[in-house]
Amino acid sequence: MESKTDTGSASVTSEELAAIEDEEVLNKMLDGATDFEERRMIRAALRDLLKKKRDKREQDRGSRQQDLRQQGLSKGGTTGGGVSVGRASMNQQPQTNKPPGQLSSTAGGQPGLAVASAQKCPPAAAPNAKNVKQMLLDWCRAKTEPYEGVDIQNFSSSWKDGIAFCALVHRFFPDAFEYSILNPNKPRDNFQLAFSTAERLAGCPPLLDPDDLVRMKEPDWKCVYTYIQEFYRSLVEKGLVKTKKRL
């Protein structure tokens, strides 16, 4: 028996949800859904759609690599260099712009300045701040729930590879970039993509610096919390989030 759920005046089946290939449509349906079973079905459709796009991307990449191998063989050359171009290796180590010995100094020769810049975050203290922090964490978890590779448990380690930032931004701007090709082993690229997209489309100021974040074992939770607050406010100002509470 096929599952059905009410969305407004229409009755939508799981098969009809599976036929929707636009993430933005599913996201809007999820935002407007109130019934638990309805939300479960839409989340499942979102997860399936993201997996389908990721599988297609991998298939296309494999076809391109095969074509490159065939072209190299037909020309009598080696294929090693050509095949590796554009390959997203999941085993490579996170990239940084400076060797370990230079992480504690900057061009001005002032020790610790680079790391200190990452700590220039306003204190997160405010009336009822604990409740606000938990509410914002729950909001982040709910918005990124359909995304594979994202498990938000806190405002520090859960964000260290940049994927959670990208998922949160992608939820509101699904046409801005292709989520399925992101590589968790390239945190700096992920940070840069998320922050630049949020600034361009939501007007959220880039309070965090990707270079500072990749130098730290885990991001400072106060810095991440402050940035997410600013992103949330930017979405409210754009009318993309409706709320009666001010963070």
Side-chain angles (χ1 to χ4, degrees):
M1 180 180 297
E2 64 181 8
S3 300
K4 292 188 176 182
T5 182
D6 293 330
T7 54
S9 59
S11 181
V12 181
T13 66
S14 57
E15 288 77 9
E16 290 171 333
L17 286 172
I20 299 175
E21 297 186 354
D22 190 331
E23 292 175 48
E24 187 173 1
V25 172
L26 289 173
N27 280 327
K28 287 181 179 179
M29 292 177 67
L30 184 59
D31 288 337
T34 56
D35 180 72
F36 174 80
E37 180 64 18
E38 179 183 356
R39 293 179 63 84
R40 184 191 66 78
M41 291 173 60
I42 298 173
R43 283 196 298 267
L46 260 173
R47 284 193 293 268
D48 290 343
L49 178 58
L50 289 171
K51 183 178 184 301
K52 187 189 301 181
K53 286 190 173 184
R54 185 179 63 255
D55 292 344
K56 185 178 185 304
R57 179 71 63 170
E58 290 296 325
Q59 184 179 3
D60 292 343
R61 182 182 297 121
S63 298
R64 289 195 300 270
Q65 291 175 355
Q66 182 65 27
D67 290 342
L68 287 172
R69 291 190 187 99
Q70 304 242 341
Q71 291 173 11
L73 290 173
S74 66
K75 294 178 181 179
T78 58
T79 61
V83 173
S84 64
V85 174
R87 181 184 299 172
S89 172
M90 299 300 290
N91 296 319
Q92 68 186 64
Q93 296 299 315
Q95 299 177 350
T96 58
N97 288 343
K98 295 184 180 179
Q102 297 180 2
L103 295 184
S104 61
S105 63
T106 63
Q110 300 178 11
L113 185 58
V115 176
S117 64
Q119 301 174 352
K120 294 179 181 178
C121 299
N128 211 20
K130 186 174 182 180
N131 291 339
V132 172
K133 179 185 175 185
Q134 186 59 49
M135 182 179 70
L136 195 60
L137 187 66
D138 292 341
W139 176 78
C140 292
R141 187 181 295 124
K143 292 302 178 184
T144 59
E145 184 179 2
Y147 289 85
E148 185 175 345
V150 178
D151 182 21
I152 296 179
Q153 299 296 328
N154 53 54
F155 281 113
S156 182
S157 60
S158 297
W159 306 79
K160 65 182 180 180
D161 60 8
I163 295 295
F165 284 108
C166 289
L168 187 60
V169 173
H170 188 268
R171 176 63 188 273
F172 293 95
F173 306 103
D175 296 328
F177 55 86
E178 182 62 57
Y179 177 82
S180 62
I181 67 173
L182 299 180
N183 189 341
N185 288 325
K186 293 185 177 181
R188 189 189 182 285
D189 292 346
N190 299 332
F191 291 135
Q192 184 62 42
L193 177 63
F195 301 155
S196 61
T197 303
E199 181 181 18
R200 177 168 52 89
L201 299 179
C204 178
L207 303 179
L208 300 179
D209 185 278
D211 290 329
D212 288 335
L213 290 173
V214 297
R215 291 178 188 130
M216 293 185 285
K217 183 178 180 181
E218 293 181 354
D220 186 328
W221 77 265
K222 293 186 292 296
C223 295
V224 174
Y225 175 51
T226 300
Y227 179 83
I228 298 300
Q229 277 187 309
E230 195 63 38
F231 180 62
Y232 184 91
R233 293 190 188 106
S234 298
L235 294 174
V236 171
E237 291 176 1
K238 289 282 185 180
L240 297 175
V241 171
K242 296 181 179 180
T243 179
K244 294 181 180 179
K245 295 184 178 182
R246 183 175 181 179
L247 300 181

